[in-house]
Amino acid sequence: FLFFLFKIFYKVYHKKNKKEGIKMKKLLIIISLFMTCIFGFANAKPLDVDVTEGAKLPNFELRDFHGKYTKSKKLFGDGKPTLLIFAAEWCPYCQRELADVQKFYEENKDNINVVVVFTRRKTNLSATKKYVEDSKFTFPVYYDATNTLMTAFKVKTVPYNLIIQNSRIQKDLGGSKNYEELKEAFYLNY
């Protein structure tokens, strides 16, 4: 449709005045780009995650500290249970928990995935990177630069913990957990 309009206007104005035709051509290109953006993004739905036990995760992407994106299916769909944690570097409860998570990760990384998503609330990527480096964390870390994941998972406070397996919510662990509670959540207290 836009192409058809463009052809008509171009023929009419091109005959009258070449300069006007060029101006009209530019205007039509701008209008068509604008319309493409409007119609292209109008149907986009925000990410929404049902965190009830058994609910299937929608597909989404997580961004690491270097701007590289990883598909959720790759992290949560490999058959291994995954501890997903939403955290913030400024949060004292998170700081205590993440020290225990590091120990838990080192002992169980062959059988259990650990994924930590840091929020941008009250902080920035530089401060978060520094905290992770200074703490010498080796578990996989991601950064929610747009707060999309925090909103989608309906995270009100940090830390917030979930167990996910095969892209399904297995258990909502809620707030801060210590090392023993993490082992218990994954039935590792033999």
Side-chain angles (χ1 to χ4, degrees):
F1 176 73
L2 289 174
F3 181 73
F4 179 70
L5 282 176
F6 170 74
K7 281 181 87 174
I8 292 171
F9 281 117
Y10 181 77
K11 285 180 182 180
V12 170
Y13 280 96
H14 187 68
K15 288 179 182 177
K16 287 185 178 180
N17 185 340
K18 282 191 176 189
K19 286 185 181 179
E20 284 295 317
I22 291 171
K23 287 181 185 177
M24 183 55 69
K25 186 177 182 180
K26 288 179 182 179
L27 179 63
L28 285 174
I29 290 171
I30 291 170
I31 290 171
S32 63
L33 288 173
F34 177 73
M35 296 300 282
T36 302
C37 289
I38 294 294
F39 291 121
F41 296 115
N43 294 329
K45 292 181 181 177
L47 181 64
D48 185 35
V49 178
D50 178 1
V51 293
T52 57
E53 291 181 15
K56 185 158 178 50
L57 289 179
N59 292 324
F60 59 93
E61 293 183 326
L62 294 95
R63 183 179 153 219
D64 70 13
F65 284 5
H66 306 290
K68 182 182 172 205
Y69 288 90
T70 303
K71 294 192 179 300
S72 61
K73 190 184 288 188
K74 182 178 178 185
L75 295 172
F76 305 120
D78 69 354
K80 292 188 335 187
T82 301
L83 174 62
L84 172 62
I85 304 168
F86 289 92
E89 111 283 328
W90 49 262
C91 165
Y93 302 105
C94 298
Q95 292 169 0
R96 280 196 297 272
E97 178 177 346
L98 292 176
D100 284 344
V101 168
Q102 179 61 40
K103 180 179 177 184
F104 179 81
Y105 174 71
E106 288 172 3
E107 293 177 2
N108 299 288
K109 64 183 167 191
D110 293 333
N111 302 313
I112 298 171
N113 296 324
V114 172
V115 173
V116 178
V117 177
F118 283 92
T119 179
R120 70 173 179 95
R121 290 182 188 167
K122 303 180 188 175
T123 190
N124 58 51
L125 180 57
S126 297
T128 303
K129 276 183 180 179
K130 182 175 179 351
Y131 168 70
V132 169
E133 289 169 6
D134 291 350
S135 301
K136 296 181 178 28
F137 294 142
T138 59
F139 46 74
V141 291
Y142 298 88
Y143 189 70
D144 190 7
T146 60
N147 243 24
T148 304
L149 296 177
M150 295 283 287
T151 302
F153 279 85
K154 298 157 196 76
V155 177
K156 303 285 186 246
T157 61
V158 287
Y160 179 63
N161 299 271
L162 292 164
I163 296 176
I164 300 170
Q165 188 167 10
N166 296 321
S167 294
R168 291 197 176 274
I169 304 289
Q170 296 299 311
K171 193 169 188 178
D172 182 339
L173 300 177
S176 185
K177 301 291 172 227
N178 63 36
Y179 174 76
E180 290 301 321
E181 291 170 321
L182 291 172
K183 283 176 50 177
E184 187 177 306
F186 285 91
Y187 307 107
L188 298 175
N189 288 337
Y190 348 97

